[in-house]
Amino acid sequence: MTTLERPTAGTAGGTAIDPILASVLQRRVDAIAKEMATMLMRSSRSPIFNEIGDLVTVLFDKHGRTLAQAEFAAIIAFGAQPPLEYIIDYFGDDIAEGDVILHNDVYTGGNQNADTGVYLPIFHEGELVGWAAAKGHMADIGGMTIGGYNPSATEIWQEALRIPPVKIMAGGVLRKDVWDFVGANIRIDFVMEDIKSMVGACTVGSRRLVELLGRYGRGTFDAHMDYILDSSEKQVRAEIGRWPDGVYHGESWMISDGLDPTRRYEVACDITVSGDEVTFDFSRTDDQAPGITNMPPASAMGAVRIAFLMLVAAGGINIPTNDGLFRPVHTVFRPGSLLNPHFPAATIFGNQMCDEVVDAIMSALADALPDRVTAGWNKFICTALNGTDPRTEQPFVTLTVFQRNGPGAMKGTDGWDALGFTGTAGQMRSPDPEMFELSSPHFLEYHEYLPDSAGAGQWRGGLGTRSAWRCYGDSEIGVTIGESVESEGGAPGAGLFGGGPSGMNRMTVEYPDGTTHEWGSKELVELPSGSVVRSVSGGGAGYGDPLLRPADLVADEVRNELLSAEQARIRYGVVVDAATRTLDAEATAQLRNTRKGGQ
């Protein structure tokens, strides 16, 4: 019973509540969501789905309240519910068993046009009882560039085919006209096969939920789900109630908007903790950008929820991820700002701005919740590559999310090495190197931890990585998706309470003619066959005074070649013999004593 309140008998809607059954049902709906995700990943064609897991599957009740989700990509997971609210209002009573609805439009609740969702209403004994949803990053969904990422885009129509709620199946029958219309606007055939896999995953979720209702009864199930949602709300309210009341301020910066690499945009957050509720107000955030670096409010809300869950989890509390968890959490995104742009602004980069949102929240609460916040993360960077595969003469799209950056440390814990993007909360996978090479025309030369990349501290940041791959696609184009690029003057993540800053990112293209190019954070470049891309993804920032880190831990990292003897001395005041990699305890004590002023 670790995920619910202490068991107490009671009633909900006139139905007696069995806390043990509630726990069983909560775990059962979680298992259904996970089964849906497994089915989707194993039946889909795109490596973005079956290798990376850039997707989510969710079960909702009939009102659109989240019951459970399998959040491989958390920023998408929390972006799945706002479209359903719109869908329910849009169709009203015009929903029937066998309907399947497709949606991606960021101006009707979507988080990113590439993140397309399938929504299936679930019926039991003729009544609507819930919804199953599958949502993921499509390899292509139309627009001016295959894959959707183009830094020169200035309006939504250039990025993707906008899909407001539309039925691709009605009463169990495929709407061939609608299906063919969507397919005609997509360059890669297997995307339509992936949509079929999403429909299949939702069908599995529907069957499993109907089986559950058949076993326990509709009234019992609904009453116990209400109990579970209320229990989650009570737990999170009790957790917020332990936070000190006050108003806290934090900021982060985005460098480059894709059109102008010198532009700086502030993401500013004012957090009000009052009793058992918390409000995240981003009204001071800068106005929207002219290009792709705008974040739809559904994506911004998802980023807030990711940061909030980090803070809650740091308290050692395990609460089911459902609608009740976020009832005490409120968000404000000013219309016309970077986090709530006016139509028809371009928004494809929006999900990646999760880094700035999380950074602003953590910096705001550093003094109020020093035991829960993380030091600054190195902001994520990867590339979207597309072109024609000469082996098949077919178009390809791939994401190089094996470029893994380091998260910040927190009190008592080093940052997780090479965790990656805040928006996926460490759950989205790196593609298998062999599958990367088989599914796209590339050869991965190396991918490894980056020594000396972790920000120093009593608890150090997570290590970053370095990677290199050779391109041999025809007409290949690459687009960087990220932040903190050294050549643009990007800002490192800040260390906390004496900890060192995060590392920086660097991307270099080596062309076949011997010339090189420093690749910016949001830049489209041509990659002639034979080009080599070399990537450095920095580590996270440290927490606490580095001189307090145990010397034997520092020496162990020197022995494991994660830290050089030189940097051990400079950053930590630890003396390790470079040849034998053994700790010199006496020299270390003397050096640290000197650094501390002889105290």
Side-chain angles (χ1 to χ4, degrees):
M1 294 297 294
T2 59
T3 59
L4 296 173
E5 280 197 311
R6 179 173 299 184
T8 56
T11 61
T15 300
I17 296 300
D18 178 354
I20 302 300
L21 177 59
S23 181
V24 170
L25 291 175
Q26 179 253 308
R27 286 163 172 76
R28 187 70 187 96
V29 293
D30 282 347
I32 293 172
K34 291 180 173 65
E35 182 183 2
M36 292 168 62
T38 300
M39 186 271 180
L40 175 55
M41 294 175 72
R42 292 185 176 179
S43 64
S44 58
R45 294 275 304 281
S46 171
I48 298 175
F49 279 22
N50 55 44
E51 278 292 305
I52 297 172
D54 196 356
L55 53 83
V56 62
T57 50
V58 193
L59 276 183
F60 302 96
D61 70 5
K62 70 175 183 178
H63 304 293
R65 300 183 303 176
T66 301
L67 300 181
Q69 61 188 34
E71 50 205 36
F72 282 86
I75 194 70
I76 303 178
F78 297 124
Q81 192 268 342
L84 182 55
E85 287 185 1
Y86 186 85
I87 288 167
I88 291 172
D89 182 65
Y90 183 85
F91 284 105
D93 294 332
D94 185 22
I95 292 291
E97 188 168 3
D99 288 353
V100 177
I101 297 161
L102 193 67
H103 177 275
N104 78 344
D105 182 30
V106 299
Y107 289 103
T108 54
N111 64 290
Q112 185 190 61
N113 281 343
D115 295 338
T116 301
V118 166
Y119 293 83
L120 186 151
I122 302 172
F123 283 78
H124 175 64
E125 297 180 347
E127 291 188 22
L128 178 67
V129 295
W131 293 80
K135 190 170 184 178
H137 186 109
M138 296 300 185
D140 184 59
I141 200 70
M144 65 192 293
T145 303
I146 185 170
Y149 288 97
N150 190 325
S152 67
T154 58
E155 58 184 22
I156 196 69
W157 299 287
Q158 296 170 324
E159 298 185 296
L161 173 67
R162 289 180 64 204
I163 308 175
V166 60
K167 292 184 183 181
I168 56 174
M169 296 184 70
V173 178
L174 178 70
R175 296 186 63 188
K176 188 174 185 299
D177 55 346
V178 176
W179 183 262
D180 289 346
F181 170 77
V182 174
N185 285 277
I186 296 174
R187 300 171 178 87
I188 300 178
D189 291 341
F190 67 64
V191 169
M192 301 305 291
E193 300 303 312
D194 287 343
I195 293 175
K196 292 179 184 178
S197 293
M198 296 167 80
V199 175
C202 290
T203 301
V204 167
S206 175
R207 289 173 181 168
R208 296 293 183 264
L209 185 61
V210 169
E211 291 169 1
L212 203 60
L213 292 172
R215 178 173 181 178
Y216 292 102
R218 170 81 181 278
T220 296
F221 179 82
D222 286 349
H224 283 77
M225 283 296 107
D226 286 341
Y227 171 79
I228 291 167
L229 300 187
D230 290 344
S231 293
S232 292
E233 179 183 1
K234 290 177 182 178
Q235 283 184 281
V236 78
R237 285 188 180 278
E239 172 64 13
I240 296 171
R242 289 188 279 270
W243 299 4
D245 283 1
V247 180
Y248 309 99
H249 311 281
E251 297 80 27
S252 186
W253 292 89
M254 181 181 70
I255 313 299
S256 175
D257 59 15
L259 300 175
D260 182 354
T262 68
R263 284 291 301 271
R264 293 171 57 89
Y265 292 85
E266 183 180 24
V267 175
C269 183
D270 301 315
I271 302 173
T272 300
V273 180
S274 179
D276 60 1
E277 300 202 349
V278 58
T279 299
F280 298 88
D281 187 342
F282 288 84
S283 296
R284 291 191 297 112
T285 292
D286 281 346
D287 290 344
Q288 68 189 65
I292 64 173
T293 53
N294 297 295
M295 192 177 201
S299 182
M301 182 183 69
V304 170
R305 290 182 170 186
I306 289 169
F308 178 72
L309 287 181
M310 290 182 187
L311 295 166
V312 170
I317 298 174
N318 182 17
I319 305 176
T321 305
N322 57 39
D323 181 80
L325 178 58
F326 300 111
R327 289 174 184 170
V329 180
H330 312 286
T331 54
V332 179
F333 308 112
R334 175 175 59 85
S337 72
L338 208 61
L339 306 186
N340 187 5
H342 290 308
F343 176 82
T347 62
I348 190 67
F349 186 79
N351 278 359
Q352 277 64 41
M353 290 169 59
C354 182
D355 282 336
E356 283 82 1
V357 172
V358 171
D359 191 31
I361 291 171
M362 293 296 175
S363 65
L365 294 174
D367 291 329
L369 300 172
D371 295 349
R372 296 169 181 262
V373 297
T374 66
W377 291 44
N378 167 260
K379 294 183 174 67
F380 181 61
I381 191 168
C382 72
T383 68
L385 307 172
N386 69 79
T388 300
D389 191 331
R391 299 169 298 183
T392 62
E393 298 184 351
Q394 295 296 313
F396 73 88
V397 173
T398 190
L399 300 176
T400 59
V401 294
F402 52 75
Q403 296 171 261
R404 293 275 172 158
N405 57 303
M410 62 182 298
K411 186 174 182 180
T413 305
D414 292 345
W416 195 293
D417 294 332
L419 186 67
F421 178 39
T422 57
T424 60
Q427 294 170 303
M428 195 169 78
R429 307 180 307 187
S430 290
D432 180 270
E434 285 76 17
M435 289 305 299
F436 171 65
E437 295 172 344
L438 285 171
S439 62
S440 67
H442 300 98
F443 177 77
L444 189 63
E445 293 192 348
Y446 58 82
H447 174 59
E448 58 194 11
Y449 284 140
L450 178 64
D452 292 338
S453 60
Q458 184 176 1
W459 298 280
R460 66 160 176 82
L463 289 163
T465 59
R466 57 187 175 195
S467 313
W469 64 93
R470 186 176 300 274
C471 310
Y472 57 92
D474 294 335
S475 304
E476 184 166 351
I477 293 174
V479 182
T480 38
I481 311 164
E483 274 291 322
S484 295
V485 170
E486 194 172 42
S487 62
E488 293 177 338
L496 289 180
F497 309 110
S502 76
M504 300 288 287
N505 299 322
R506 183 177 182 183
M507 296 274 294
T508 305
V509 183
E510 298 174 356
Y511 293 109
D513 63 5
T515 61
T516 61
H517 173 68
E518 292 298 318
W519 206 347
S521 62
K522 307 164 193 72
E523 182 184 7
L524 185 151
V525 301
E526 295 182 359
L527 297 168
S529 182
S531 299
V532 176
V533 181
R534 301 199 184 277
S535 167
V536 171
S537 296
Y543 187 113
D545 185 353
L547 297 181
L548 297 178
R549 187 170 179 80
D552 59 336
L553 289 182
V554 177
D556 282 345
E557 296 200 336
V558 174
R559 280 190 288 272
N560 291 326
E561 299 184 2
L562 301 176
L563 182 69
S564 66
E566 178 186 16
Q567 290 301 315
R569 177 189 292 270
I570 293 172
R571 299 181 185 182
Y572 294 99
V574 173
V575 181
V576 178
D577 184 277
T580 63
R581 297 178 186 172
T582 56
L583 174 67
D584 187 330
E586 183 178 348
T588 295
Q590 292 176 351
L591 180 56
R592 284 186 160 185
N593 189 55
T594 300
R595 293 265 185 93
K596 294 175 183 178
Q599 298 178 355

